Structure formats: structure tokens, C-alpha cells
Amino acid sequence: DYITIATAGNATDFGNLTVGRYNASAVSSGTRAVFMGGNDGTYSNVMDYVTVATTGNAIDFGNLTVAIQSGAGVSSETRGVIGGGTTGSVSNVIQYITIATAGDSTDFGNLTSSRHSPSGVSSGTRGVWGGGFTSGNVNTIDYVTIATTGDATTFGNLTASRRAGAGCGSTTRGLFGGGYEGGHVNKIDYITIATTGNAVDFGDLTRSNNVLGACSSNTRGVWGGGNNTNVNTIDYVTIDTLGNATDFGDLTAGRAGVVGTDGY
């Protein structure tokens, strides 16, 4: 599905992935969007891509070095990076691709701890992962410099330990929305990406939800779908202004395990 982020309204069909799957990760350069891993009946190493400006079906991009679901993607105009997830056991692996060049992923480094179902945000310079699940939900926030391979560094903590939310943001702020804390939550946290520290309360989504997808422009953050009865709801916020989300429209169908990405 796709939306025009500046204009509230219902989503429109864009095309199809090469393989049906859920709990994938996604990255974007602004020109290309690449969908990475997920579960298609087993842990998947599939990567496929679309050209964001042109509707149509996805095309094979290459393979992940580690087949994984429930990781989270962060990206710049050049690189896409996927961190964490599960391969049957919880992973701390970070992999990356050059988005303009189809091919297999390369090892980037490791998160500070193994976890699946984190949320990812990026400024184009830094990629940040928040929350997830190890042997329980965690509130950990890690970051990397996207242009430089290496292990992640501690950034701070979310306002609560949770997993399976969705991240979006601008070049300045990162937002972590929804998730699971023993029940679905509607919380939105935010960070200033250039400055390490703990997340702060931003507001609430229109409903409590987890395993949803998110995308953003530099102005608006948008969340869609999720596991609260496989909803088709789309919410949005203005990233620079604290407050609760507003209804944007609906996806073409209710579904969970959604992943979102955007024109950078």
C-alpha cells in the first residue's frame, strides 16, 4: 500500500512483494525501498525492492547473510541497515546493504544486546533502535553511525520496556509508537537523534496497538495497521509538535506484522 504523507486519506494499492511474508524490515533511500527478511513459513533471507515513485511489483534485490524476522531497519540515502531479530534464537546481528546496488547484505557489527522486535529510526546520519524482547521486554536504545561499520553504542532508554512498536521520524527527532508491554499500548516516545539520552513522552496513538508499520516525511510521522484485531487504521502526528495522533485514513485491508518505509 502507499499514501501521500502530506495528504490525509486512504491508502492505495502499490503492488506485491516477491514473496508473501510478515514481520519483515524495510529501508529506503528516497528512490528505492527495500524489504528485508521476515517470515514466509520460515525465517526468510529474501530482500526485494521497489522504486518509490513508480507503482508496481517488487523485484529481487539479493539475500540477507542471516535469515531473520522481527528485526528493524534504519537507513540513509546510501545505506540500509537491519538490526536485531530472531533466527529461532534472539540475534544481535547488524547487516547492511548499499540501496542503489542490488546484492547480498554484509556484516555491519552487533547491537549492545541480542533482541527481536525493536523499532528503528534514523536521521540519515545515525540509526537508532529502541526496545525489543530478549528474555522479556527491554527499554534499551542503541545507535550506530550509518556510514561507518561497527558495533552499536548505548543511547539511553525508552519510557518503558516494550517490543513490537514502530519507529519513524525526521532528521532531528525519532518517534517510537505503539508496542506491547504485557498488553497493547498506544504510547509514543521521542528522542532527539543527535543527542544521546532517554526518550520522553510525545503523546498517544488513536488506539493501543502492536506489530504495526510506520513511515514519515520530515514533517509528519504515520503509523498503519497492527495486531489489535488486524486493524486498517492509519494515524499521524506532526513530528515537531508534541501531542496525540490524529486519524489519517485506512489501509486497503486490516493486517498485522506490517512494515513501513518512505521517501527519505
Side-chain angles (χ1 to χ4, degrees):
D1 285 1
Y2 77 96
I3 55 170
T4 301
I5 296 175
T7 308
N10 294 334
T12 302
D13 180 66
F14 187 98
N16 296 315
L17 299 173
T18 59
V19 179
R21 57 200 196 273
Y22 62 90
N23 290 351
S25 302
V27 297
S28 176
S29 64
T31 303
R32 278 184 173 176
V34 184
F35 305 93
M36 310 166 84
N39 191 307
D40 58 7
T42 188
Y43 304 104
S44 176
N45 66 354
V46 171
M47 291 190 286
D48 44 19
Y49 76 95
V50 295
T51 301
V52 176
T54 308
T55 59
N57 294 334
I59 297 169
D60 180 66
F61 186 93
N63 295 317
L64 293 170
T65 58
V66 178
I68 206 157
Q69 76 172 71
S70 301
V74 298
S75 50
S76 67
E77 292 179 331
T78 305
R79 279 186 171 176
V81 185
I82 177 174
T86 179
T87 61
S89 58
V90 184
S91 175
N92 66 352
V93 172
I94 307 173
Q95 306 173 59
Y96 79 96
I97 57 171
T98 301
I99 298 174
T101 308
D104 297 340
S105 68
T106 302
D107 181 67
F108 186 100
N110 297 312
L111 297 175
T112 61
S113 62
S114 297
R115 57 193 186 274
H116 71 72
S117 306
S119 301
V121 300
S122 51
S123 63
T125 302
R126 280 184 171 176
V128 185
W129 292 272
F133 183 93
T134 304
S135 55
N137 293 333
V138 299
N139 64 357
T140 306
I141 309 174
D142 289 356
Y143 77 97
V144 295
T145 301
I146 295 172
T148 307
T149 59
D151 294 340
T153 302
T154 298
F155 187 98
N157 296 313
L158 296 177
T159 60
S161 296
R162 70 177 74 96
R163 69 181 187 268
C168 60
S170 67
T171 55
T172 305
R173 280 186 172 174
L175 277 59
F176 303 96
Y180 190 86
E181 296 178 7
H184 303 84
V185 298
N186 64 355
K187 296 175 182 177
I188 308 171
D189 287 358
Y190 82 96
I191 57 171
T192 301
I193 298 175
T195 308
T196 59
N198 295 334
V200 177
D201 180 65
F202 183 96
D204 297 323
L205 298 173
T206 62
R207 67 172 65 207
S208 297
N209 211 351
N210 75 319
V211 287
L212 64 170
C215 61
S216 55
S217 65
N218 211 35
T219 304
R220 282 183 169 178
V222 185
W223 290 266
N227 196 34
N228 188 342
T229 65
N230 289 348
V231 297
N232 65 354
T233 305
I234 309 174
D235 290 355
Y236 79 96
V237 297
T238 301
I239 295 170
D240 285 343
T241 307
L242 305 188
N244 295 334
T246 302
D247 181 67
F248 185 98
D250 296 322
L251 297 175
T252 59
R255 55 194 185 272
V258 183
V259 62
T261 190
D262 46 74
Y264 176 75

